Amino acid sequence: MSKILVTGGAGFLGSHLCDRLVGDGHDVLCVDNYFTGSKRNIAHLMGNPMFELLRHDVTFPLYVEVDQIYNLACPASPSHYQHDPVQTTKTSVHGAINMLGLAKRVGARILQASTSEVYGDPQVNPQPEGYWGHVNPVGVRSCYDEGKRCAETLFFDYYRQHDVGIKVMRIFNTYGPRMLANDGRVVSNFIVQALRGEPITIFGDGQQTRSFCYVDDLIEGMVRFMESPHTFTGPVNVGNPADITMVELAESIIELTGTESQLVFKDLPSDDPKQRRPDISLARSELGWEPSVPLGPGLTRTIEYFKEAL
Ligand code: NAD
Ligand code: UDP
Ligand code: UDP
């Protein structure tokens, strides 16, 4: 049994991670400021003696004693991270400094929830970890992209300078139950629009591609990475390499929900990446990990969740 801190633990991925860690018998401290997270996501864990909840903003120092830290705190949806972009950069950068300072003081191992956004609008497809990316430093997505890139820099400097046990995980688009209905990300938007019979909003011509990983697969990859040997720091891509256009995604969701909703085309947001697909060779060889839930069954489970939640 380990004492484990999960920052952003009341969010979408964080709440699934808390479930997994409590289920594995660990003592979990969940820290969140509820910007995009919610107590509803972890309500079922309250009252469990192995679970503890703390309202705290990671841009401020935190003094606790733990063995492992999963650093997930940061809004992930473009509409939310662009709402207060200065706070988004502070969360990534000051949050990383504080959590790395904590890891250094107590000798904890620390995993960073980094992102495929570090590759920006990639000119290489699929993206291997060795690709340095194609990122606009001054655009509307930069608060997130550059914040996460700076956090990666901090992680590797704490590793080289202070021998902190780091794990840098580049998460590609992940979806599943407990995404917010107003999250703004494409899977939840399309499902909610389909279930409400509203038009399905395609940004641009809908020919841009993404690859979607079901949350259970992602959490399995995350835990395997944390438990991997000290020398394997990453960065490592974790995501589903099956890519799809946004029009194809909309058509799948229309079919699975049986909705009457029609597609409507809206302006493409600036700096929206045209393609994104992980090369997961490293995760396969180092973690023995690959996704097991195909898009259809994953979407069906997510649709069932939103039918209840709405
Ligand atoms: P989410 O928005 O549901 O969760 C983020 C959580 O962090 C929320 O509970 C929010 O309240 C909390 N938070 C935000 N700022 C905070 C702060 N300053 N202090 C404390 N808590 C704070 O998003 P998610 O999809 O669960 O993403 C979790 C992590 O994974 C994020 O770091 C995100 O960048 C990363 N990630 C997610 C995806 C994805 O597709 N879901 C892809 C790449 C990276
Ligand atoms: N920090 C923290 N919890 C701790 C230890 C440190 O939040 O248990 C914060 C502390 O506020 C500091 C940051 O982490 O600003 C970086 O710590 P580090 O020891 O690396 O640097 P220093 O304290 O020398 O600036
Ligand atoms: N998108 C869309 N309609 C929506 C929301 C998003 O067509 O209602 C597009 C968006 O422009 C992007 C893709 O779907 O090309 C994925 O968007 P999301 O915000 O989920 O993630 P990210 O752009 O960060 O990969």
Side-chain angles (χ1 to χ4, degrees), residues 47-295:
N48 185 322
M50 303 310 277
F51 182 77
E52 196 178 347
L53 180 60
L54 177 67
R55 181 194 296 261
H56 175 79
D57 183 323
V58 294
T59 62
F60 295 96
L62 176 67
Y63 287 82
V64 292
E65 313 304 312
V66 290
D67 308 309
Q68 295 181 351
I69 304 166
Y70 287 87
N71 189 36
L72 272 61
C74 186
S77 157
S79 63
H80 287 123
Y81 71 63
Q82 289 169 22
H83 170 74
D84 185 349
V86 173
Q87 174 66 13
T88 298
T89 303
K90 284 184 186 169
T91 293
S92 278
V93 177
H94 292 185
I97 291 172
N98 287 328
M99 292 307 107
L100 285 161
L102 170 57
K104 185 182 97 179
R105 181 179 63 80
V106 300
R109 183 174 274 200
I110 179 167
L111 182 147
Q112 168 68 355
S114 191
T115 168
S116 51
E117 283 285 315
V118 301
Y119 302 121
D121 186 3
Q123 294 174 316
V124 170
N125 199 43
Q127 295 84 52
E129 291 83 354
Y131 177 52
W132 290 356
H134 179 234
V135 179
N136 178 356
V138 295
V140 291
R141 293 176 86 102
S142 310
C143 59
Y144 185 75
D145 299 10
E146 296 288 20
K148 290 283 190 179
R149 285 169 68 98
C150 184
E152 288 200 3
T153 306
L154 285 160
F155 269 70
F156 276 87
D157 284 331
Y158 269 79
Y159 172 65
R160 285 184 287 252
Q161 203 172 327
H162 301 301
D163 197 31
V164 170
I166 62 155
K167 303 275 170 190
V168 174
M169 176 166 164
R170 292 184 179 154
I171 302 170
F172 283 65
N173 298 62
T174 302
Y175 69 99
R178 299 191 196 144
M179 297 184 90
L180 287 174
N182 68 348
D183 186 77
R185 281 179 277 188
V186 69
V187 173
S188 45
N189 268 15
F190 285 2
I191 291 177
V192 169
Q193 289 162 346
L195 291 177
R196 289 183 172 151
E198 294 168 356
I200 295 187
T201 53
I202 307 272
F203 297 166
D205 63 7
Q207 295 307 310
Q208 67 273 38
T209 59
R210 294 291 187 275
S211 39
F212 296 99
C213 184
Y214 188 67
V215 60
D216 292 358
D217 282 334
L218 195 284
I219 298 300
E220 177 62 31
M222 195 177 261
V223 172
R224 280 195 197 196
F225 187 25
M226 181 62 107
E227 299 302 333
S228 67
H230 180 79
T231 47
F232 184 52
T233 58
V236 63
N237 292 336
V238 178
N240 192 322
D243 60 349
I244 181 174
T245 69
M246 295 311 99
V247 166
E248 288 166 341
L249 176 69
E251 284 165 351
S252 298
I253 290 173
I254 287 172
E255 192 182 320
L256 290 168
T257 54
T259 183
E260 302 285 304
S261 296
Q262 303 291 314
L263 305 187
V264 291
F265 290 83
K266 305 259 184 189
D267 289 343
L268 188 68
S270 67
D271 294 339
D272 199 276
K274 282 177 279 306
Q275 54 186 0
R276 186 185 291 144
R277 179 176 177 220
D279 177 333
I280 61 164
S281 319
L282 190 62
R284 279 201 179 100
S285 64
E286 292 293 326
L287 307 176
W289 178 88
E290 61 182 357
S292 65
V293 183
L295 188 61

Side-chain angles (χ1 to χ4, degrees), residues 8-78:
F12 162 50
L13 295 181
S15 63
H16 286 277
L17 178 63
C18 288
D19 281 343
R20 166 68 186 262
L21 296 173
V22 169
D24 287 350
H26 299 296
D27 186 353
V28 175
L29 171 60
C30 168
V31 163
D32 208 293
N33 71 349
Y34 306 124
F35 176 52
T36 49
S38 160
K39 284 185 202 165
R40 276 191 305 278
N41 288 339
I42 30 107
H44 56 284
L45 291 171
M46 311 259 210
N48 185 322
M50 303 310 277
F51 182 77
E52 196 178 347
L53 180 60
L54 177 67
R55 181 194 296 261
H56 175 79
D57 183 323
V58 294
T59 62
F60 295 96
L62 176 67
Y63 287 82
V64 292
E65 313 304 312
V66 290
D67 308 309
Q68 295 181 351
I69 304 166
Y70 287 87
N71 189 36
L72 272 61
C74 186
S77 157

